[in-house]
Amino acid sequence: MPAKRTIVITGASDGIGAVAARALADPDIQLILVGRSADKIAAVAADTDGIGLTADFASLDQVRELADQIAGHAGAVDVLLNNAGGTFEPEPRTADDHEPNFQINHLAGFLLTNLLRERLAAAGDGALVLNTASAGNLFGRVDLSDLDWERRRAFQSRCYGTSKLMNIMFTRGIAERW
């Protein structure tokens, strides 16, 4: 009997992530579901027979802890769906002193993906990394010298759009390099 495939979904406690978790639930799949709210993620995990983990992507330390927890549950990750995020006012900054759209929508998923790279590689050529983006990327403009909006005037829609554009760029980049 082949081993179960492992799918990790961030932002799985609500919205698109919860819908995806319920659609992908299958006895042959180990779902690892991540959400910020313990109560909400527990409900989705119960509905899908998945493993519910909590992490707030406004803290990169919590993302690092999450990667360790995922590694404890899975030798290989077949699919990583980076879906956690939202639209945030540029202030206040995160605990790590980043603009919130940049950190929560992009940087946290970037970090998690890189921390799970060995687990993704263990799944072989069929491993997938999916990063949720949106049409909001059309409002984005990446300035590599000012990723945290310290020099430019930060508008919520521009910061959000830039984080979604970064998701697309990251996805294309790892597809080429990995």
Side-chain angles (χ1 to χ4, degrees), residues 104-133:
I104 297 167
N105 293 341
H106 176 68
L107 192 58
F110 175 91
L111 176 61
L112 181 62
T113 302
N114 281 282
L115 291 172
L116 294 177
R117 186 169 181 186
E118 284 184 25
R119 303 282 181 222
L120 290 157
D125 290 339
L128 293 173
V129 177
L130 302 135
N131 295 301
T132 304

Side-chain angles (χ1 to χ4, degrees), residues 32-38 41-42 45 51-55 66 69-70 73:
I32 300 177
L33 309 173
V34 181
R36 192 177 49 200
S37 164
I41 202 63
I51 298 165
L53 303 175
T54 58
L66 173 64
Q69 290 176 336
I70 292 168
H73 289 286

Side-chain angles (χ1 to χ4, degrees), residues 8-11 34 55-60 62-64 66-67 70 80-85 100-117 120 128-132 163-164 166-167 170-171 174 178:
V8 176
I9 305 173
T10 69
V34 181
D56 185 343
F57 281 18
S59 167
L60 295 178
Q62 287 191 36
V63 175
R64 290 180 186 95
L66 173 64
I70 292 168
L80 172 59
L81 174 51
N82 286 314
N83 174 65
N101 292 280
F102 171 52
Q103 179 168 329
I104 297 167
N105 293 341
H106 176 68
L107 192 58
F110 175 91
L111 176 61
L112 181 62
T113 302
N114 281 282
L115 291 172
L116 294 177
R117 186 169 181 186
L120 290 157
L128 293 173
V129 177
L130 302 135
N131 295 301
T132 304
S163 71
K164 297 288 113 182
M166 288 175 173
N167 292 154
F170 175 53
T171 303
I174 61 174
W178 294 8

Side-chain angles (χ1 to χ4, degrees), residues 12 15 19 33-34 44 48 52 62-63 79 84 87-88 90-91 101 107-108 122 131 146 161 168-169:
V19 170
L33 309 173
V34 181
V44 178
T48 60
Q62 287 191 36
V63 175
V79 178
T87 305
F88 307 96
E91 296 291 338
N101 292 280
L107 192 58
N131 295 301
D146 190 24
I168 293 167
M169 293 168 70

